[in-house]
Amino acid sequence: MSDVSLLSRNIITLLDKCKSLHSLKQLHALFFTFNLSQHDPFLSKFFSFTALSHPAHIDYSCKILLHLQNPSIFNWNTVIRGYSNSKNPNKSISLFVKMLRLGLSPDYLTYPFVIKASARLLKRELAVAIHAHTAKTGYESDRFIANSLIHLYASCGDIIYARKLFDGMPLKNLVSWNSMLDGYAKCGEMNLARQVFDLMPEKDVVSWSSLIDGYVKSGDYKEAMAIFEEMRGVGPKANEVTMVSVLCACAHLGALDQGRMMHQYMVDNGLPLNLVLQTSLVDMYAKCGAIKEALSVFRGVKLDRSDVLMWNAMIGGLAVHGLVKESLELFKEMQIVGITPDEITFLCLLSACAHGGFVTEAWYFFDCLGKYGMTPKSEHYACVVDVLSRAGRVAEAYNFVCQMPMEPTASMLGALLTGCMNHGKLDLAEIVGKKLIELEPDHDGRYIGLSNVYAISKRWDDARTMREAMELRGVKKYPGCSFVEMFGTLHRFIAHDKTHPSSEKIYMMLNFIAGQMKLNVDHEIREHFMYDMTGIV
């Protein structure tokens, strides 16, 4: 072995043990000192280390790349790949353009990384430009690149062109089908996603997970759970992505028993409970009302300084359960252990203040956003409006809305309208109600809200006018519904539904509810209860 190779091997060994940017720079100086700047094994290891294994050093990696005389295409690809996974995917595109301007030719590995970065940026014009370049260089027919292009167009919302590419592929593999299925699911076209799923010659865990996630994102949580049950019977074992979607569905349905079964399913199947899954479990238990179980999962996790999502889920969960002081105390604990809060943290804290009526604390947290270098978003402003409205300071809330640097959202005005009605400020409620109808003229609740304001004021003609305005505009009032979980099964009840369940099912439901509440409900009370639910006994 030559002296150069031995030295390079020793430096690479040191690189594997490198822990900080300071140490990395020392090694960098060392390999320049011994004239190893063009020694490819070291360079490949160096760029893999800085761009992929330690993404915090990727900017340093890019500087080194641009100062080398003749870096290989592999080294360019490594840094482009690193940026495609980073918080700044646009830098991946910039580096690709720099590569072209230097007269270098991308290879078949370059384009998937550039396409991935483009998909994250959600710019269709960029997608078209990258696609044109693959066609010009002859790589468009590469099946892996074609699959990436399908994903790119679907991510940019152009599902029609994505389908055109898919249909034009002479040979499709499982990735091709999954890309098309995921594209439809991401665009909310669940009927078409299901059609693709049913036509697939083979399915893997990605196929099932994409379909389940699509139903979750479109709000059809019960169907998502039904697909998961089908997967358990005939499909592969679920992975982390599957279970995150399933737990999200359980959380939105309030299906605690099913959520517990999902937790046990992960344990029984040896699925590693990583941070993402543990955060999903905390969120699910909190939203399903089992705050003690949420805390148990939270306290059982070995947290470090990157676990802000877990802390956010727990802070928000405590707030929703009315444990506002505990929520604020947990934020103090979070600061003590050295975790930096993000925008979601302050959103959870402001929500906690709204539940507890803590106006002073809400202003403090709102001001803290600036201290941490964050600009308040519309959601933060909405929380402050909610805090003030719940506390009865509706005039202050209205002035706050008028002075915001952005136009008020419907959620802000909705919170303000509720506050005005709860605290008898009907004149201001009328102003806010009219603004809501201007913002969302096709939303049934906006007309009904203003109609209720007029009804409380005994302005019956104006209340009737609102109802007539709904009819003239063709706005329909959709009935409310509730889900009740009994023995692990979800039952859906719709207001004034004439297609009611059988009397036996209702009796069983009432017996279950009475048992849970430890009540002795006699026959007469049950009959009245059934009449309220269905309109008939």
Side-chain angles (χ1 to χ4, degrees):
M1 182 181 293
S2 67
D3 292 341
V4 172
S5 298
L6 182 60
L7 184 59
S8 174
R9 185 175 177 180
N10 289 335
I11 295 177
I12 289 174
T13 303
L14 291 173
L15 187 61
D16 287 330
K17 298 178 180 179
C18 188
K19 300 292 184 183
S20 66
L21 183 59
H22 178 71
S23 299
L24 180 66
K25 287 182 176 180
Q26 287 180 322
L27 287 176
H28 182 204
L30 190 63
F31 98 88
F32 262 112
T33 301
F34 288 98
N35 197 26
L36 298 173
S37 59
Q38 300 300 319
H39 194 57
D40 193 62
F42 174 79
L43 283 176
S44 298
K45 184 69 177 179
F46 174 85
F47 286 118
S48 295
F49 178 87
T50 53
L52 304 179
S53 302
H54 295 74
H57 303 328
I58 190 168
D59 287 336
Y60 181 70
S61 178
C62 185
K63 288 179 182 178
I64 302 305
L65 178 74
L66 296 176
H67 279 86
L68 290 175
Q69 290 181 0
N70 294 302
S72 67
I73 295 299
F74 178 83
N75 294 333
W76 281 90
N77 289 347
T78 303
V79 183
I80 288 172
R81 178 186 177 186
Y83 274 129
S84 72
N85 295 320
S86 72
K87 294 180 180 179
N88 298 301
N90 55 307
K91 289 188 177 182
S92 182
I93 308 299
S94 300
L95 196 58
F96 174 70
V97 172
K98 179 75 173 177
M99 179 183 181
L100 297 177
R101 287 176 178 171
L102 291 173
L104 300 172
S105 299
D107 64 11
Y108 71 99
L109 292 175
T110 313
Y111 287 107
F113 304 139
V114 176
I115 291 171
K116 181 179 181 180
S118 303
R120 292 183 61 200
L121 293 170
L122 304 178
K123 294 181 180 178
R124 189 186 181 280
E125 60 274 17
L126 184 57
V128 173
I130 299 297
H131 185 189
H133 209 280
T134 61
K136 186 168 65 175
T137 53
Y139 286 113
E140 182 187 24
S141 58
D142 181 275
R143 189 162 58 182
F144 189 72
I145 291 174
N147 291 338
S148 299
L149 286 169
I150 291 171
H151 172 72
L152 171 58
Y153 278 107
S155 298
C156 295
D158 193 347
I159 195 66
I160 294 174
Y161 201 83
R163 183 59 189 255
K164 184 178 179 180
L165 285 175
F166 176 78
D167 290 338
M169 292 179 68
L171 292 173
K172 301 178 181 68
N173 59 8
L174 181 58
V175 177
S176 312
W177 286 93
N178 281 341
S179 297
M180 197 65 248
L181 167 61
D182 188 60
Y184 277 131
K186 279 186 167 58
C187 292
E189 299 283 356
M190 292 312 301
N191 289 334
L192 293 171
R194 187 61 200 246
Q195 287 178 19
V196 171
F197 181 81
D198 292 337
L199 289 170
M200 292 177 72
E202 60 175 319
K203 304 175 182 69
D204 64 359
V205 67
V206 176
S207 318
W208 290 91
S209 298
S210 294
L211 190 65
I212 292 169
D213 187 59
Y215 279 117
V216 170
K217 295 284 173 55
S218 62
D220 196 345
Y221 308 113
K222 197 167 184 180
E223 183 63 21
M225 296 300 297
I227 298 296
F228 177 73
E229 287 304 315
E230 184 182 346
M231 177 183 175
R232 289 178 67 181
V234 300
K237 286 185 179 180
N239 63 10
E240 172 197 327
V241 177
T242 319
M243 296 314 302
V244 167
S245 298
V246 171
L247 289 171
C248 181
C250 292
H252 280 89
L253 291 169
L256 178 59
D257 287 345
Q258 290 193 6
R260 285 172 176 153
M261 285 190 286
M262 296 306 103
H263 191 173
Q264 190 60 46
Y265 172 88
M266 290 186 284
V267 174
D268 292 342
N269 287 276
L271 200 62
L273 291 179
N274 59 22
L275 181 62
V276 175
L277 280 176
Q278 288 168 325
T279 302
S280 297
L281 281 170
V282 169
D283 183 63
M284 181 274 295
Y285 280 128
K287 286 180 178 175
C288 290
I291 194 64
K292 289 184 178 178
E293 288 176 77
L295 274 168
S296 176
V297 174
F298 177 79
R299 293 301 182 191
V301 177
K302 185 179 179 181
L303 299 169
D304 59 37
R305 297 194 175 192
S306 64
D307 300 335
V308 66
L309 293 177
M310 173 73 81
W311 288 83
N312 289 347
M314 196 67 252
I315 290 170
L318 289 168
V320 169
H321 282 78
L323 302 171
V324 180
K325 291 183 179 178
E326 290 84 348
S327 179
L328 301 188
E329 285 297 322
L330 192 61
F331 174 65
K332 292 180 182 177
E333 183 182 336
M334 174 182 172
Q335 291 179 301
I336 291 170
V337 298
I339 295 178
T340 303
D342 62 8
E343 293 173 348
I344 304 299
T345 311
F346 288 107
L347 204 58
C348 294
L349 291 167
L350 288 169
S351 176
C353 292
H355 285 285
F358 296 168
V359 177
T360 303
E361 290 82 353
W363 282 122
Y364 168 75
F365 291 128
F366 187 76
D367 292 337
C368 276
L369 281 161
K371 294 177 183 177
Y372 281 94
M374 292 176 264
T375 302
K377 294 186 176 179
S378 61
E379 293 86 355
H380 299 103
Y381 282 97
C383 279
V384 173
V385 172
D386 191 32
V387 172
L388 295 172
S389 299
R390 287 174 184 248
R393 296 160 66 164
V394 290
E396 186 179 346
Y398 182 72
N399 291 333
F400 179 73
V401 168
C402 294
Q403 294 170 10
M404 290 190 312
M406 75 273 292
E407 290 297 316
T409 63
S411 62
M412 292 180 198
L413 295 179
L416 182 54
L417 177 63
T418 302
C420 290
M421 293 179 68
N422 289 340
H423 295 280
K425 305 295 184 181
L426 300 181
D427 291 342
L428 185 54
E430 181 180 5
I431 295 171
V432 175
K434 288 179 178 178
K435 285 184 179 292
L436 271 169
I437 291 177
E438 290 175 10
L439 270 178
E440 296 183 331
D442 297 320
H443 191 296
D444 61 320
R446 305 314 177 196
Y447 294 90
I448 294 167
L450 186 54
S451 176
N452 290 339
V453 171
Y454 290 137
I456 294 171
S457 305
K458 297 184 179 180
R459 295 165 57 178
W460 307 116
D461 290 341
D462 290 329
R464 192 179 303 109
T465 299
M466 282 297 100
R467 299 283 179 166
E468 291 171 354
M470 283 181 66
E471 294 179 9
L472 288 172
R473 195 170 179 87
V475 178
K476 294 183 179 180
K477 183 182 184 301
Y478 293 96
C481 68
S482 299
F483 287 97
V484 176
E485 185 183 30
M486 184 174 69
F487 309 124
T489 302
L490 285 170
H491 300 272
R492 185 168 181 252
F493 290 90
I494 301 174
H496 304 293
D497 184 12
K498 300 303 180 184
T499 60
H500 62 283
S502 66
S503 59
E504 291 83 1
K505 183 176 179 180
I506 295 176
Y507 271 117
M508 188 166 63
M509 181 75 71
L510 290 171
N511 278 321
F512 172 74
I513 294 172
Q516 291 291 94
M517 299 175 66
K518 296 183 173 57
L519 296 177
N520 182 19
V521 184
D522 61 28
H523 179 77
E524 184 178 354
I525 292 176
R526 288 174 181 170
E527 286 190 346
H528 282 294
F529 188 83
M530 282 193 294
Y531 183 83
D532 288 339
M533 279 175 50
T534 64
I536 55 174
V537 177

Coordinates of all heavy atoms in Angstrom, one line a residue, residues 238-274:
A238 N -47.9 -3.4 8.7 CA -47.8 -1.9 8.6 C -46.4 -1.5 9.0 O -45.7 -2.1 9.8 CB -48.9 -1.3 9.6
N239 N -46.1 -0.3 8.5 CA -44.8 0.3 9.0 C -45.1 1.6 9.7 O -46.3 1.9 10.0 CB -43.9 0.5 7.8 CG -44.4 1.5 6.7 OD1 -45.5 2.2 7.0 ND2 -43.8 1.6 5.6
E240 N -44.1 2.4 10.0 CA -44.2 3.7 10.7 C -45.2 4.6 10.0 O -46.0 5.2 10.7 CB -42.8 4.3 10.8 CG -42.9 5.7 11.4 CD -41.6 6.5 11.2 OE1 -40.5 5.9 11.2 OE2 -41.7 7.7 11.0
V241 N -45.0 4.7 8.7 CA -45.9 5.7 7.9 C -47.4 5.3 8.1 O -48.2 6.1 8.3 CB -45.5 5.7 6.5 CG1 -46.4 6.6 5.7 CG2 -44.0 6.2 6.3
T242 N -47.6 4.0 7.9 CA -49.0 3.5 8.1 C -49.6 3.8 9.4 O -50.7 4.4 9.5 CB -49.1 2.0 7.9 OG1 -48.2 1.5 6.9 CG2 -50.5 1.5 7.6
M243 N -48.8 3.6 10.5 CA -49.4 3.7 11.8 C -49.5 5.2 12.2 O -50.5 5.5 13.0 CB -48.4 3.0 12.8 CG -48.3 1.5 12.6 SD -49.9 0.7 12.4 CE -50.8 1.2 13.9
V244 N -48.7 6.1 11.7 CA -48.9 7.5 11.9 C -50.3 7.9 11.4 O -51.0 8.7 12.0 CB -47.8 8.3 11.3 CG1 -48.1 9.8 11.3 CG2 -46.5 8.1 12.0
S245 N -50.6 7.5 10.1 CA -51.9 7.8 9.5 C -53.1 7.2 10.3 O -54.1 7.9 10.6 CB -52.0 7.4 8.1 OG -51.0 8.0 7.3
V246 N -52.9 6.0 10.7 CA -54.0 5.3 11.5 C -54.2 5.9 12.8 O -55.3 6.2 13.3 CB -53.6 3.8 11.7 CG1 -54.6 3.1 12.6 CG2 -53.6 3.1 10.3
L247 N -53.1 6.3 13.5 CA -53.3 7.0 14.8 C -53.9 8.3 14.7 O -54.7 8.8 15.5 CB -51.9 7.1 15.5 CG -51.3 5.8 16.0 CD1 -49.8 6.0 16.5 CD2 -52.1 5.2 17.2
C248 N -53.6 9.0 13.5 CA -54.2 10.3 13.3 C -55.7 10.1 13.1 O -56.5 10.9 13.6 CB -53.6 10.9 12.0 SG -54.3 12.5 11.6
A249 N -56.1 9.0 12.4 CA -57.6 8.8 12.2 C -58.3 8.5 13.5 O -59.3 9.0 13.8 CB -57.7 7.6 11.2
C250 N -57.6 7.7 14.4 CA -58.2 7.4 15.7 C -58.3 8.7 16.5 O -59.3 8.9 17.2 CB -57.3 6.4 16.5 SG -57.2 4.8 15.8
A251 N -57.3 9.6 16.4 CA -57.4 10.8 17.1 C -58.6 11.7 16.7 O -59.3 12.3 17.5 CB -56.1 11.6 16.9
H252 N -58.8 11.8 15.4 CA -59.9 12.6 14.9 C -61.3 12.0 15.2 O -62.2 12.7 15.4 CB -59.7 12.8 13.4 CG -58.8 13.9 13.1 ND1 -57.4 13.7 12.9 CD2 -58.9 15.3 12.9 CE1 -56.8 14.8 12.6 NE2 -57.7 15.8 12.6
L253 N -61.3 10.7 15.3 CA -62.6 10.0 15.6 C -62.9 9.9 17.0 O -64.0 9.6 17.5 CB -62.6 8.6 14.9 CG -62.6 8.5 13.4 CD1 -62.4 7.1 13.0 CD2 -64.0 9.0 12.9
G254 N -61.8 10.2 17.8 CA -62.0 10.0 19.3 C -62.1 8.5 19.7 O -62.7 8.2 20.7
A255 N -61.6 7.6 18.8 CA -61.7 6.2 19.0 C -60.6 5.7 19.9 O -59.6 5.1 19.4 CB -61.7 5.5 17.6
L256 N -60.8 5.8 21.2 CA -59.8 5.5 22.2 C -59.5 4.0 22.2 O -58.3 3.6 22.2 CB -60.2 5.9 23.6 CG -59.2 5.6 24.7 CD1 -57.8 6.2 24.5 CD2 -59.8 6.1 26.0
D257 N -60.5 3.1 22.2 CA -60.3 1.7 22.2 C -59.5 1.2 21.0 O -58.6 0.4 21.1 CB -61.6 0.9 22.3 CG -62.3 1.0 23.6 OD1 -61.6 1.4 24.6 OD2 -63.5 0.8 23.8
Q258 N -59.9 1.8 19.8 CA -59.1 1.4 18.6 C -57.7 1.9 18.7 O -56.8 1.3 18.2 CB -59.8 1.9 17.4 CG -61.1 1.2 17.1 CD -61.7 1.5 15.7 OE1 -61.1 2.2 14.9 NE2 -62.9 1.0 15.4
G259 N -57.5 3.1 19.2 CA -56.2 3.7 19.4 C -55.3 2.8 20.3 O -54.1 2.6 20.0
R260 N -55.9 2.3 21.4 CA -55.2 1.4 22.2 C -54.8 0.1 21.5 O -53.7 -0.4 21.7 CB -56.0 1.1 23.5 CG -56.1 2.2 24.5 CD -57.1 1.9 25.6 NE -57.1 2.9 26.6 CZ -58.2 3.2 27.3 NH1 -59.3 2.5 27.1 NH2 -58.2 4.1 28.3
M261 N -55.7 -0.4 20.7 CA -55.4 -1.6 19.9 C -54.3 -1.4 18.9 O -53.5 -2.2 18.7 CB -56.7 -2.1 19.2 CG -57.7 -2.7 20.1 SD -59.1 -3.5 19.2 CE -60.0 -2.1 18.6
M262 N -54.3 -0.1 18.3 CA -53.2 0.2 17.4 C -51.8 0.2 18.1 O -50.8 -0.2 17.6 CB -53.4 1.5 16.7 CG -54.7 1.6 15.8 SD -54.7 0.3 14.6 CE -55.9 -0.8 15.3
H263 N -51.9 0.8 19.3 CA -50.6 0.8 20.2 C -50.2 -0.6 20.4 O -49.0 -0.9 20.3 CB -51.0 1.5 21.5 CG -49.7 1.8 22.3 ND1 -49.8 2.6 23.5 CD2 -48.4 1.5 22.1 CE1 -48.5 2.7 23.9 NE2 -47.7 2.0 23.2
Q264 N -51.1 -1.5 20.8 CA -50.7 -2.9 21.1 C -50.3 -3.6 19.8 O -49.4 -4.5 19.8 CB -52.0 -3.6 21.7 CG -51.6 -5.0 22.2 CD -50.6 -5.0 23.3 OE1 -50.7 -4.2 24.2 NE2 -49.6 -5.9 23.2
Y265 N -50.9 -3.2 18.7 CA -50.5 -3.8 17.4 C -49.0 -3.5 17.1 O -48.3 -4.4 16.6 CB -51.4 -3.3 16.3 CG -50.9 -3.7 14.8 CD1 -51.4 -4.8 14.3 CD2 -50.1 -2.8 14.1 CE1 -51.0 -5.2 13.0 CE2 -49.7 -3.2 12.8 CZ -50.1 -4.3 12.3 OH -49.7 -4.7 11.0
M266 N -48.6 -2.3 17.4 CA -47.2 -1.9 17.1 C -46.3 -2.7 18.0 O -45.2 -3.2 17.6 CB -47.0 -0.4 17.4 CG -47.7 0.4 16.3 SD -47.3 2.2 16.5 CE -48.4 2.6 17.8
V267 N -46.7 -2.9 19.3 CA -45.8 -3.7 20.2 C -45.8 -5.1 19.8 O -44.7 -5.7 19.8 CB -46.4 -3.5 21.7 CG1 -45.7 -4.5 22.6 CG2 -46.3 -2.1 22.1
D268 N -46.9 -5.7 19.4 CA -47.0 -7.1 19.1 C -46.2 -7.4 17.8 O -45.6 -8.5 17.7 CB -48.4 -7.6 18.9 CG -49.2 -7.6 20.2 OD1 -48.6 -7.6 21.2 OD2 -50.5 -7.6 20.1
N269 N -46.1 -6.5 16.9 CA -45.4 -6.7 15.6 C -44.0 -6.2 15.6 O -43.3 -6.1 14.6 CB -46.2 -6.0 14.5 CG -47.4 -6.8 14.1 OD1 -47.4 -7.8 13.4 ND2 -48.6 -6.4 14.7
G270 N -43.5 -5.8 16.8 CA -42.1 -5.3 17.0 C -41.8 -4.1 16.2 O -40.6 -3.9 15.8
L271 N -42.8 -3.2 16.0 CA -42.5 -2.0 15.3 C -41.8 -1.0 16.2 O -42.3 -0.7 17.3 CB -43.8 -1.3 14.8 CG -43.8 -0.3 13.7 CD1 -43.3 -0.9 12.4 CD2 -45.2 0.2 13.4
P272 N -40.6 -0.5 15.8 CA -39.9 0.4 16.7 C -40.6 1.6 17.0 O -41.1 2.3 16.1 CB -38.6 0.7 15.9 CG -38.5 -0.4 14.9 CD -39.9 -0.8 14.6
L273 N -40.8 1.9 18.3 CA -41.6 3.1 18.7 C -40.6 4.3 18.6 O -40.1 4.8 19.7 CB -42.2 3.0 20.1 CG -43.3 2.0 20.2 CD1 -43.8 1.9 21.6 CD2 -44.5 2.4 19.2
N274 N -40.4 4.8 17.4 CA -39.5 6.0 17.3 C -40.2 7.3 17.7 O -41.3 7.2 18.1 CB -38.9 6.1 15.9 CG -40.0 6.2 14.8 OD1 -41.1 6.6 15.1 ND2 -39.7 5.8 13.6

